[in-house]
Amino acid sequence: EDDGIPPNTYTYTALITACTKGGQWEEAIQVFEEMRESGVPMNTVTYNATLAACEDGRRCDLALELYDEMRASKEVSPDALTYKAVVATCRLSGKLEKATYVLEHMLDSDTGLGTTATYTTMMAALMKAHEWQKTFQLYNKMLDAGVQPNLHTYNVLISAHQAAQQWDQVETVVAEMRGRGIHLNTVSYTSLITGCADCKDSERAQALLEEMHKEGLTPDTFTYTALITACTKSNEGDAALEVFDQMLSAGVS
């Protein structure tokens, strides 16, 4: 601009993206505001770059403002990245009801924009808010929409069923994962072992640890802690000590 060449849409968008990727989300938003005041046209990429900054800064208010602006515009419209960013920003800001509002718009629009990441992000938010049934309902909507779950989706689903004490459903989810060719990871096994602790089933917990080793997975601190808890709740103090020794021998602390 100092050389007499005014910045255009692509210049501003590139600068917003650079600021966000550089961890300068406040500067990214300032550039966007300058762009808007200058009357430079904004496209979907511009909005999404700014929404990424909102996500970093937990600016739910601005994210919703931009989202509504996009929906009202004739020049731009939300895409899959838009929905993902807005839902994530609302969730990270603790505004679950706002995240649900955006997600419902996406589902009602019937545009096929729902992605695995968007659904899974919202499922995780509902699960953390103890909204078990809504978590399961959203998973079913995800399948109905033809969106394929991934490992993270299933890990959220396992945790939700366990929190709801639906132990039979946990086994069903694991069977479904394997049927889709999705392998459990350390997080999956740790979650399952945690469920065993809640059920006071240390035998099953020990079996899961052995299964982990056979799968070539490395238990971490959380895994061993869950197993120790399972042994303790089953009144097996000696077994808990043995697990602790295994943990130290494995160099996990």
Side-chain angles (χ1 to χ4, degrees):
E1 193 167 7
D2 292 339
D3 295 329
I5 303 174
N8 60 18
T9 301
Y10 302 103
T11 308
Y12 273 116
T13 301
L15 185 55
I16 292 169
T17 301
C19 288
T20 302
K21 288 185 176 180
Q24 299 175 306
W25 64 268
E26 291 175 303
E27 286 79 358
I29 291 173
Q30 287 175 4
V31 173
F32 174 81
E33 295 294 354
E34 178 187 316
M35 180 181 182
R36 184 151 57 179
E37 290 173 7
S38 300
V40 177
M42 295 173 286
N43 57 26
T44 300
V45 178
T46 309
Y47 277 102
N48 287 346
T50 309
L51 286 169
C54 291
E55 183 177 346
D56 287 348
R58 311 295 193 263
R59 286 291 307 276
C60 180
D61 54 340
L62 181 57
L64 289 170
E65 178 187 327
L66 298 182
Y67 168 67
D68 287 335
E69 196 173 293
M70 291 180 75
R71 292 182 68 229
S73 173
K74 294 181 180 179
E75 283 75 34
V76 298
S77 57
D79 63 10
L81 290 177
T82 308
Y83 283 109
K84 179 179 179 297
V86 179
V87 168
T89 303
C90 293
R91 181 182 67 82
L92 291 169
S93 303
K95 303 292 180 63
L96 184 60
E97 72 285 354
K98 298 297 185 181
T100 304
Y101 157 81
V102 174
L103 189 67
E104 286 176 350
H105 278 180
M106 183 189 75
L107 296 174
D108 291 342
S109 67
D110 195 30
T111 56
L113 291 178
T115 65
T116 301
T118 304
Y119 278 103
T120 303
T121 295
M122 193 60 203
M123 283 174 60
L126 290 168
M127 188 266 292
K128 289 178 180 177
H130 300 175
E131 296 281 4
W132 321 128
Q133 292 306 315
K134 288 183 179 179
T135 304
F136 308 141
Q137 289 169 5
L138 184 57
Y139 175 69
N140 290 329
K141 285 184 179 181
M142 178 181 181
L143 296 182
D144 290 341
V147 179
Q148 297 301 308
N150 61 15
L151 175 61
H152 184 43
T153 311
Y154 280 117
N155 282 341
V156 171
L157 201 56
I158 288 170
S159 295
H161 280 301
Q162 289 189 158
Q165 298 185 342
Q166 297 176 346
W167 315 118
D168 291 343
Q169 289 300 315
V170 172
E171 295 302 322
T172 300
V173 171
V174 172
E176 183 179 321
M177 286 178 70
R178 288 174 169 153
R180 289 178 179 267
I182 298 175
H183 298 284
L184 281 71
N185 65 0
T186 299
V187 174
S188 312
Y189 277 104
T190 300
S191 183
L192 292 172
I193 292 172
T194 299
C196 292
D198 293 337
C199 294
K200 299 180 181 180
D201 188 352
S202 62
E203 185 176 346
R204 171 65 174 152
Q206 292 275 13
L208 287 168
L209 184 69
E210 291 301 318
E211 191 174 305
M212 280 188 74
H213 289 307
K214 289 178 181 178
E215 292 291 331
L217 296 173
T218 303
D220 58 17
T221 304
F222 298 104
T223 312
Y224 281 111
T225 300
L227 183 52
I228 289 170
T229 302
C231 293
T232 302
K233 286 188 175 182
S234 300
N235 296 319
E236 296 179 5
D238 290 342
L241 290 173
E242 287 180 15
V243 173
F244 182 69
D245 287 340
Q246 289 178 34
M247 176 178 167
L248 295 180
S249 298
V252 178
S253 59

